[in-house]
Amino acid sequence: MARDLDETLSQADYEALATLRYTLRKFMDFSTSAAHQEGLPPQQHQALLAIKGNPENETMTIGMLAERLLIAPHTATELVGRLIDAGYVTRHPDPADKRRQTLRLTEKSEEILRRLTAIHLREIRDMAPELIDILTHLQADVGGK
């Protein structure tokens, strides 16, 4: 059950939330650095991962990419243009709806994404015990009050 907004927060609540945010920032910093080492801006890495991680039975469109990245559709269109120019993505008319454009990764982006995903998974596995402890503390705190 969620806490009432009027409920008094403890110092432990602030500490747990601060620790969670710090841990997430450390991961994002790691992710940004890893993407840069592969020559990708972080947003392009996120876009490639969103396209690759889309369920196999669904085609990725620019609108879906905008939704997945929490960006405006025109921003997604510009991002896709940069990905196409860099040789990471191809754009094709949707056979079911010619007004929509579907996106596919190129072999170049598949190779980069394989490397980035492998190191990200290692980092997440290293961080998992710390994250689990933080989240368990926060969950127990919510249930206990």
Side-chain angles (χ1 to χ4, degrees), residues 24-98:
L24 294 174
R25 279 193 307 274
K26 282 192 320 185
F27 177 75
M28 293 307 297
D29 185 58
F30 161 83
S31 182
T32 297
S33 295
H36 281 299
Q37 287 178 354
E38 288 288 344
L40 281 176
Q43 190 176 46
Q44 288 185 14
H45 171 228
Q46 292 170 18
L48 297 179
L49 184 58
I51 295 167
K52 181 69 174 180
N54 200 43
E56 287 188 45
N57 60 344
E58 293 180 27
T59 55
M60 178 62 79
T61 64
I62 293 174
M64 290 172 64
L65 183 64
E67 184 179 320
R68 292 295 300 210
L69 298 181
L70 303 175
I71 59 177
H74 73 274
T75 303
T77 300
E78 293 168 3
L79 175 59
V80 167
R82 289 191 298 275
L83 290 168
I84 290 169
D85 291 346
Y88 295 128
V89 171
T90 58
R91 180 176 25 204
H92 307 274
D94 185 337
D97 182 350
K98 300 289 185 207

Side-chain angles (χ1 to χ4, degrees), residues 106-121:
T106 64
E107 186 55 38
K108 175 183 177 180
S109 63
E110 293 272 7
E111 290 172 20
I112 290 171
L113 198 51
R114 258 190 298 276
R115 289 190 299 270
L116 282 171
T117 300
I119 62 171
H120 276 76
L121 289 175

